[in-house]
Amino acid sequence: MNYIIGAFKPACNISITFGDGKSRKQVPLKKENGQTVMVPLFQSQENIAGKISVEPVSGKKVEHNGIKVELLGQIEMYFDRGNFYDFTSLVRELDVPGEIYERKTYPFEFSTVEMPYETYNGVNVRLRYILKITISRGYAGSIVEYQDFVVRNYSPPPSINNSIKMEVGIEDCLHIEFEYNKSKYHLKDVIIGKIYFLLVRIKIKNMDLEIRRRESTGSGANTHVETETLAKFELMDGAPVRGESIPIRLFLSPYELTPTYRNINNKFSVKYYLNLVLVDEEDRRYFKQQEITMFRLEETS
């Protein structure tokens, strides 16, 4: 029985260390099994370098047909689970066919890597970056090891950032005007605005401001749209009167937001909306939705 157990044990241990692993920022990444691990954070055009160690299990040698490391950027749709679309694929050959008797270390480097899209874990899609190490073996089956890392890309503040002004109403019943201080926000920003009641002839019970994320995946008949309400902020409780003005001040930092993603590799988009919801005393709901653009501002340490 022990022979059978031994047959399924890996023939070697593979470990991956990044060259600047001790100084590089680590961020949490949620794995498929629900566990959260800390992984290194990179941005586009950075060098990704380090060392890969292959150590045979004591007393064994590892025969192989070559060792390689790949840097992959992949998109996976959950309705097509298991099929990865590679938008970035780089490879480095580490070793020619041969045998390994003891621990062997291989340096690797991918220079100024183009990583245009951010790591994203959504409802129906995920985008990930991995290092994939493959020890090719014939009949014995290849040995494969993966190492995740996260990519975030930063944007400068937009040169033009117009405010949003809109009027919404029901003829002869309700007429309100709302204003948000800008249309583009960074992830730790504050939404500041005002709501003016120009005409109130229905009894408003309460009013909320929601932040909504809309993720659309696929295209044509296979388009899947998921809308999540990430935050709900009560603006008013009770009936407003004509001429009343209500201030808005909503801090974005407590919420897990991403930048707006538009048509990533023709696979998915992520958009954000401010949704103003009014509820009258008969529980009828009136709402007005407005898209806002989110961007990631470089954090100053």
Side-chain angles (χ1 to χ4, degrees):
M1 189 68 184
N2 287 342
Y3 294 110
I4 296 172
I5 293 168
F8 292 104
K9 280 189 176 175
C12 61
N13 296 314
I14 302 171
S15 61
I16 305 152
T17 52
F18 290 94
D20 53 1
K22 288 195 171 81
S23 58
R24 182 165 289 277
K25 185 176 178 178
Q26 304 274 316
V27 293
L29 176 70
K30 199 168 186 179
K31 302 279 280 181
E32 275 186 304
N33 58 12
Q35 288 183 327
T36 300
V37 293
M38 298 300 287
V39 299
L41 174 64
F42 291 89
Q43 66 187 73
S44 190
Q45 304 293 335
E46 281 200 283
N47 296 341
I48 297 181
K51 289 177 181 172
I52 292 163
S53 293
V54 178
E55 187 170 9
V57 173
S58 57
K60 284 190 177 182
K61 68 175 181 180
V62 177
E63 294 181 38
H64 64 87
N65 301 328
I67 301 175
K68 66 179 178 179
V69 57
E70 295 168 272
L71 190 154
L72 301 174
Q74 302 180 319
I75 295 172
E76 181 190 28
M77 304 291 193
Y78 290 154
F79 55 80
D80 191 16
R81 196 178 275 278
N83 278 340
F84 290 98
Y85 301 91
D86 293 354
F87 57 86
T88 293
S89 178
L90 304 169
V91 63
R92 298 283 181 269
E93 300 292 340
L94 299 177
D95 207 348
V96 295
E99 297 176 346
I100 302 175
Y101 295 92
E102 57 188 0
R103 182 187 175 98
K104 203 168 178 183
T105 301
Y106 305 94
F108 71 92
E109 181 168 6
F110 296 95
S111 301
T112 54
V113 184
E114 187 76 41
M115 297 179 284
Y117 311 127
E118 291 201 347
T119 302
Y120 176 70
N121 274 322
V123 179
N124 282 323
V125 60
R126 74 170 168 151
L127 188 152
R128 68 172 187 172
Y129 288 91
I130 53 168
L131 290 175
K132 178 183 177 184
I133 294 89
T134 306
I135 300 176
S136 300
R137 301 195 302 167
Y139 64 91
S142 295
I143 302 169
V144 181
E145 184 72 32
Y146 299 95
Q147 169 66 52
D148 290 273
F149 60 94
V150 165
V151 171
R152 289 180 187 165
N153 291 319
Y154 304 96
S155 308
S159 53
I160 297 170
N161 198 347
N162 297 323
S163 62
I164 300 170
K165 276 188 183 176
M166 290 185 81
E167 290 190 15
V168 57
I170 305 155
E171 201 173 341
D172 296 331
C173 291
L174 178 70
H175 191 176
I176 63 173
E177 191 177 86
F178 60 86
E179 185 180 340
Y180 303 119
N181 62 332
K182 45 193 178 182
S183 51
K184 298 170 184 172
Y185 296 89
H186 64 78
L187 304 187
K188 307 291 182 193
D189 218 332
V190 184
I191 295 172
I192 294 170
K194 272 184 189 160
I195 294 170
Y196 302 98
F197 288 88
L198 304 173
L199 175 67
V200 186
R201 286 195 182 142
I202 52 176
K203 291 187 175 176
I204 303 291
K205 190 166 65 172
N206 63 297
M207 180 165 64
D208 297 323
L209 182 65
E210 298 172 340
I211 301 173
R212 289 188 162 189
R213 172 162 56 213
R214 185 178 296 167
E215 175 191 287
S216 50
T217 51
S219 57
N222 287 330
T223 304
H224 297 249
V225 177
E226 288 284 343
T227 302
E228 297 172 86
T229 300
L230 304 177
K232 196 170 181 179
F233 181 71
E234 188 176 72
L235 296 175
M236 181 192 74
D237 186 11
V241 294
R242 183 182 171 183
E244 194 166 354
S245 161
I246 292 176
I248 298 170
R249 194 176 184 83
L250 176 56
F251 291 84
L252 297 178
S253 52
Y255 309 108
E256 286 190 25
L257 306 175
T258 69
T260 296
Y261 300 135
R262 298 192 195 280
N263 203 16
I264 298 296
N265 210 47
N266 293 326
K267 293 283 184 280
F268 71 96
S269 296
V270 178
K271 295 179 179 178
Y272 288 88
Y273 296 86
L274 292 177
N275 193 35
L276 189 65
V277 183
L278 291 91
V279 182
D280 70 11
E281 289 193 332
E282 292 171 26
D283 281 332
R284 286 179 299 207
R285 292 162 67 83
Y286 311 91
F287 56 89
K288 188 71 177 177
Q289 198 160 261
Q290 173 65 40
E291 187 181 351
I292 55 171
T293 300
M294 302 299 300
F295 63 96
R296 190 185 298 282
L297 197 63
E298 186 139 26
E299 295 169 16
T300 50
S301 49

